[in-house]
Amino acid sequence: MIASSIHNNPKQGFISIYSYLGGALLGLELNNKFNVFVLGELYQFEITKITPEKTINNTIL
């Protein structure tokens, strides 16, 4: 789940929109592949599943 920096908690699946990974996810669709370059390292990912949004305190983010 892409979230605001206030709700950022990768262990619970909330990734900040302001992080390298969160920013790279914006606008992608199922089966899209993308790269993220972080601190001199290149990481490759693929979108394999999209699920309905999560909520925090019963509010859809």
Side-chain angles (χ1 to χ4, degrees):
M1 171 88 176
I2 300 175
S4 68
S5 57
I6 295 170
H7 299 293
N8 181 47
N9 189 335
K11 290 182 180 179
Q12 292 183 347
F14 295 99
I15 300 170
S16 172
I17 193 170
Y18 301 109
S19 70
Y20 292 112
L21 181 57
L25 288 168
L26 292 177
L28 297 180
E29 298 176 350
L30 190 62
N31 299 317
N32 283 165
K33 296 177 183 177
F34 64 101
N35 299 321
V36 178
F37 192 74
V38 180
L39 302 174
E41 296 287 328
L42 181 65
Y43 297 89
Q44 299 178 338
F45 299 94
E46 181 177 356
I47 306 295
T48 59
K49 183 178 181 182
I50 297 176
T51 58
E53 59 273 328
K54 290 186 178 182
T55 63
I56 295 176
N57 298 328
N58 297 322
T59 302
I60 296 176
L61 300 175

